Amino acid sequence: MVAPALLLLLALPAGAWRGLGLPCRPCVQCCRPAWPPAAPGPGAHVSDGDTWAGLPRLRPTIDISILKGEKGEVGVRGRSGRSGKQGPPGSRGLRGRKGQKGQAGLPGAQCARTYAAFSVGRSEGLHSADALQAVTFDTELVNLDGAFDLASGHFLCTAPGVYFLSLNVHTWNYKETYLHIMRNAHAAAVLYAQPSERSVMQAQSLLLPLAAGDAVWVRMFQRDRDNAIFGEHGDLYITFSGHLVKPDAELCWPRRHASSQGPPS
């Protein structure tokens, strides 16, 4: 309130000061004089006898610092500004210390493995008596879980997956050799040798996917010639073998459904 009152008093004309009833005191200069003093204008009349002509002209100024009020109270905090743009990622920090070794986990379940294999032979030779004739066997070399039936010559699949099958025979002189490796009622591969005056060993092998319940066997096929395979006691010329290479549980492709046709009787 002090600063506005001083400004109001300064704005009053000179004759109004006496009417206010203020006590008369000697005039004291409260303002700093303007420096350098302003020179008289070109049109100003200056006489030699004028006492004030040689004095510098003063221009009154007000020291604003004496009119400054007390410091006000802190205002209400404004709203937070918008978030700035995300800065570049900082440099990678130092590598921390290695942690303590954790506790040993519980033992896992034992890995279940699936096995299937057979290997059988025939010691006697065989001549085809019918157009289609199953080859039976009389010697058991390997027969896991008894899946191969010697009397019928059939291997019954109980562990589905991919199997490796192999058939080996000895041809008969001057006779044709014509055999099929069968999966159920369908021929999967052929073993063939033309009639010759010399007998030779002949072989056929393949990989074959089998479903549970599929039967694998060997069939002799007779055409217009005699069909025979050679064999004699004491030596094993005719063998039929197979084993599981990879079970269905470990394969990536969808499992093959069991054939609608079962093994032939």
Side-chain angles (χ1 to χ4, degrees):
M1 297 300 290
V2 177
L6 290 175
L7 293 175
L8 181 61
L9 291 175
L10 292 175
L12 293 175
W17 285 85
R18 296 179 181 179
L20 295 177
L22 298 174
C24 295
R25 295 180 180 179
C27 181
V28 179
Q29 182 178 352
C30 64
C31 303
R32 292 177 296 183
W35 190 263
H45 174 73
V46 180
S47 62
D48 296 338
D50 192 354
T51 307
W52 302 97
L55 297 176
R57 186 177 180 179
L58 301 178
R59 181 176 299 172
T61 58
I62 300 175
D63 189 358
I64 301 300
S65 62
I66 65 174
L67 302 179
K68 184 177 180 182
E70 297 179 357
K71 185 177 180 181
E73 297 179 357
V74 179
V76 181
R77 185 175 182 179
R79 297 180 179 178
S80 301
R82 296 181 179 180
S83 300
K85 295 182 179 180
Q86 184 177 2
S91 58
R92 186 174 182 180
L94 299 177
R95 185 174 182 179
R97 296 181 180 179
K98 186 177 180 180
Q100 297 180 354
K101 185 177 181 180
Q103 298 180 354
L106 298 175
Q110 186 177 2
C111 181
R113 296 295 302 273
T114 304
Y115 299 95
F118 69 90
S119 183
V120 294
R122 181 182 176 94
S123 58
E124 294 183 0
L126 181 64
H127 291 264
S128 59
D130 300 322
L132 301 175
Q133 180 179 351
V135 178
T136 59
F137 298 87
D138 54 23
T139 304
E140 182 181 283
L141 302 174
V142 175
N143 190 8
L144 296 184
D145 300 327
F148 195 96
D149 182 26
L150 295 176
S152 63
H154 290 177
F155 167 75
L156 184 63
C157 176
T158 58
V162 176
Y163 282 75
F164 176 79
L165 303 173
S166 175
L167 175 63
N168 294 271
V169 299
H170 194 284
T171 62
W172 206 305
N173 297 25
Y174 303 106
K175 296 184 182 293
E176 188 178 47
T177 301
Y178 201 153
L179 302 169
H180 287 133
I181 298 177
M182 305 290 295
R183 179 176 60 191
N184 299 327
H186 303 279
V190 175
L191 186 153
Y192 179 76
Q194 292 182 343
S196 173
E197 62 180 6
R198 298 180 57 186
S199 61
V200 295
M201 293 294 300
Q202 203 78 354
Q204 176 65 284
S205 60
L206 73 159
L207 287 169
L208 194 64
L210 298 179
D214 281 350
V216 177
W217 53 292
V218 179
R219 181 181 70 180
M220 182 175 286
F221 178 61
Q222 182 181 10
R223 298 191 297 177
D224 53 351
R225 301 177 181 176
D226 289 338
N227 188 6
I229 50 179
F230 176 80
E232 63 180 359
H233 291 284
D235 293 318
L236 201 59
Y237 291 98
I238 305 168
T239 61
F240 184 36
S241 304
H243 67 273
L244 177 64
V245 176
K246 200 162 191 177
D248 264 2
E250 300 178 13
L251 296 177
C252 297
W253 66 66
R255 296 184 180 184
R256 187 178 66 87
H257 295 289
S259 174
S260 58
Q261 294 183 357
S265 58

